[in-house]
mmCIF file with all atom_site columns, all heavy atoms in Angstrom:
data_model
loop_
_atom_site.group_PDB
_atom_site.id
_atom_site.type_symbol
_atom_site.label_atom_id
_atom_site.label_alt_id
_atom_site.label_comp_id
_atom_site.label_asym_id
_atom_site.label_entity_id
_atom_site.label_seq_id
_atom_site.pdbx_PDB_ins_code
_atom_site.Cartn_x
_atom_site.Cartn_y
_atom_site.Cartn_z
_atom_site.occupancy
_atom_site.B_iso_or_equiv
_atom_site.pdbx_formal_charge
_atom_site.auth_seq_id
_atom_site.auth_comp_id
_atom_site.auth_asym_id
_atom_site.auth_atom_id
_atom_site.pdbx_PDB_model_num
ATOM 1  N N   . ALA A 1 303 ? -34.522 0.334  9.272  1.00 53.00 ? 303 ALA A N   1
ATOM 2  C CA  . ALA A 1 303 ? -33.671 0.230  8.083  1.00 53.00 ? 303 ALA A CA  1
ATOM 3  C C   . ALA A 1 303 ? -33.666 -1.181 7.533  1.00 53.00 ? 303 ALA A C   1
ATOM 4  O O   . ALA A 1 303 ? -33.694 -1.399 6.321  1.00 53.00 ? 303 ALA A O   1
ATOM 5  C CB  . ALA A 1 303 ? -32.253 0.674  8.433  1.00 53.00 ? 303 ALA A CB  1
ATOM 6  N N   . ALA A 1 304 ? -33.623 -2.183 8.438  1.00 53.00 ? 304 ALA A N   1
ATOM 7  C CA  . ALA A 1 304 ? -33.641 -3.571 7.979  1.00 53.00 ? 304 ALA A CA  1
ATOM 8  C C   . ALA A 1 304 ? -34.958 -3.911 7.299  1.00 53.00 ? 304 ALA A C   1
ATOM 9  O O   . ALA A 1 304 ? -34.992 -4.602 6.275  1.00 53.00 ? 304 ALA A O   1
ATOM 10 C CB  . ALA A 1 304 ? -33.401 -4.496 9.171  1.00 53.00 ? 304 ALA A CB  1
ATOM 11 N N   . ASN A 1 305 ? -36.080 -3.424 7.860  1.00 60.00 ? 305 ASN A N   1
ATOM 12 C CA  . ASN A 1 305 ? -37.381 -3.676 7.230  1.00 60.00 ? 305 ASN A CA  1
ATOM 13 C C   . ASN A 1 305 ? -37.462 -3.009 5.870  1.00 60.00 ? 305 ASN A C   1
ATOM 14 O O   . ASN A 1 305 ? -38.049 -3.551 4.931  1.00 60.00 ? 305 ASN A O   1
ATOM 15 C CB  . ASN A 1 305 ? -38.500 -3.164 8.140  1.00 60.00 ? 305 ASN A CB  1
ATOM 16 C CG  . ASN A 1 305 ? -38.641 -4.019 9.396  1.00 60.00 ? 305 ASN A CG  1
ATOM 17 O OD1 . ASN A 1 305 ? -38.338 -5.212 9.381  1.00 60.00 ? 305 ASN A OD1 1
ATOM 18 N ND2 . ASN A 1 305 ? -39.096 -3.409 10.489 1.00 60.00 ? 305 ASN A ND2 1
ATOM 19 N N   . LYS A 1 306 ? -36.880 -1.823 5.780  1.00 59.00 ? 306 LYS A N   1
ATOM 20 C CA  . LYS A 1 306 ? -36.868 -1.144 4.482  1.00 59.00 ? 306 LYS A CA  1
ATOM 21 C C   . LYS A 1 306 ? -36.102 -1.974 3.456  1.00 59.00 ? 306 LYS A C   1
ATOM 22 O O   . LYS A 1 306 ? -36.498 -2.084 2.294  1.00 59.00 ? 306 LYS A O   1
ATOM 23 C CB  . LYS A 1 306 ? -36.213 0.230  4.647  1.00 59.00 ? 306 LYS A CB  1
ATOM 24 C CG  . LYS A 1 306 ? -36.127 1.031  3.352  1.00 59.00 ? 306 LYS A CG  1
ATOM 25 C CD  . LYS A 1 306 ? -35.473 2.380  3.610  1.00 59.00 ? 306 LYS A CD  1
ATOM 26 C CE  . LYS A 1 306 ? -35.325 3.140  2.294  1.00 59.00 ? 306 LYS A CE  1
ATOM 27 N NZ  . LYS A 1 306 ? -34.659 4.446  2.493  1.00 59.00 ? 306 LYS A NZ  1
ATOM 28 N N   . TRP A 1 307 ? -34.994 -2.576 3.890  1.00 53.00 ? 307 TRP A N   1
ATOM 29 C CA  . TRP A 1 307 ? -34.210 -3.412 2.974  1.00 53.00 ? 307 TRP A CA  1
ATOM 30 C C   . TRP A 1 307 ? -35.003 -4.642 2.557  1.00 53.00 ? 307 TRP A C   1
ATOM 31 O O   . TRP A 1 307 ? -34.963 -5.068 1.415  1.00 53.00 ? 307 TRP A O   1
ATOM 32 C CB  . TRP A 1 307 ? -32.915 -3.832 3.657  1.00 53.00 ? 307 TRP A CB  1
ATOM 33 C CG  . TRP A 1 307 ? -32.061 -4.711 2.783  1.00 53.00 ? 307 TRP A CG  1
ATOM 34 C CD1 . TRP A 1 307 ? -31.215 -4.313 1.818  1.00 53.00 ? 307 TRP A CD1 1
ATOM 35 C CD2 . TRP A 1 307 ? -31.991 -6.133 2.829  1.00 53.00 ? 307 TRP A CD2 1
ATOM 36 N NE1 . TRP A 1 307 ? -30.605 -5.393 1.242  1.00 53.00 ? 307 TRP A NE1 1
ATOM 37 C CE2 . TRP A 1 307 ? -31.064 -6.532 1.832  1.00 53.00 ? 307 TRP A CE2 1
ATOM 38 C CE3 . TRP A 1 307 ? -32.608 -7.112 3.590  1.00 53.00 ? 307 TRP A CE3 1
ATOM 39 C CZ2 . TRP A 1 307 ? -30.765 -7.850 1.601  1.00 53.00 ? 307 TRP A CZ2 1
ATOM 40 C CZ3 . TRP A 1 307 ? -32.306 -8.432 3.359  1.00 53.00 ? 307 TRP A CZ3 1
ATOM 41 C CH2 . TRP A 1 307 ? -31.397 -8.796 2.378  1.00 53.00 ? 307 TRP A CH2 1
ATOM 42 N N   . ARG A 1 308 ? -35.755 -5.238 3.489  1.00 56.00 ? 308 ARG A N   1
ATOM 43 C CA  . ARG A 1 308 ? -36.549 -6.434 3.152  1.00 56.00 ? 308 ARG A CA  1
ATOM 44 C C   . ARG A 1 308 ? -37.636 -6.111 2.152  1.00 56.00 ? 308 ARG A C   1
ATOM 45 O O   . ARG A 1 308 ? -38.036 -6.956 1.351  1.00 56.00 ? 308 ARG A O   1
ATOM 46 C CB  . ARG A 1 308 ? -37.173 -7.014 4.423  1.00 56.00 ? 308 ARG A CB  1
ATOM 47 C CG  . ARG A 1 308 ? -36.174 -7.616 5.396  1.00 56.00 ? 308 ARG A CG  1
ATOM 48 C CD  . ARG A 1 308 ? -36.896 -8.424 6.468  1.00 56.00 ? 308 ARG A CD  1
ATOM 49 N NE  . ARG A 1 308 ? -35.973 -8.844 7.508  1.00 56.00 ? 308 ARG A NE  1
ATOM 50 C CZ  . ARG A 1 308 ? -35.812 -8.231 8.671  1.00 56.00 ? 308 ARG A CZ  1
ATOM 51 N NH1 . ARG A 1 308 ? -36.537 -7.143 8.934  1.00 56.00 ? 308 ARG A NH1 1
ATOM 52 N NH2 . ARG A 1 308 ? -34.963 -8.681 9.562  1.00 56.00 ? 308 ARG A NH2 1
ATOM 53 N N   . ARG A 1 309 ? -38.174 -4.891 2.213  1.00 60.00 ? 309 ARG A N   1
ATOM 54 C CA  . ARG A 1 309 ? -39.253 -4.525 1.298  1.00 60.00 ? 309 ARG A CA  1
ATOM 55 C C   . ARG A 1 309 ? -38.755 -4.203 -0.099 1.00 60.00 ? 309 ARG A C   1
ATOM 56 O O   . ARG A 1 309 ? -39.550 -4.042 -1.016 1.00 60.00 ? 309 ARG A O   1
ATOM 57 C CB  . ARG A 1 309 ? -40.002 -3.309 1.854  1.00 60.00 ? 309 ARG A CB  1
ATOM 58 C CG  . ARG A 1 309 ? -40.836 -3.616 3.100  1.00 60.00 ? 309 ARG A CG  1
ATOM 59 C CD  . ARG A 1 309 ? -41.810 -2.486 3.375  1.00 60.00 ? 309 ARG A CD  1
ATOM 60 N NE  . ARG A 1 309 ? -41.127 -1.238 3.659  1.00 60.00 ? 309 ARG A NE  1
ATOM 61 C CZ  . ARG A 1 309 ? -40.770 -0.842 4.878  1.00 60.00 ? 309 ARG A CZ  1
ATOM 62 N NH1 . ARG A 1 309 ? -41.018 -1.615 5.926  1.00 60.00 ? 309 ARG A NH1 1
ATOM 63 N NH2 . ARG A 1 309 ? -40.153 0.305  5.058  1.00 60.00 ? 309 ARG A NH2 1
#
Side-chain angles (χ1 to χ4, degrees):
N305 290 331
K306 179 180 177 182
W307 179 82
R308 292 192 188 98
R309 290 195 297 270

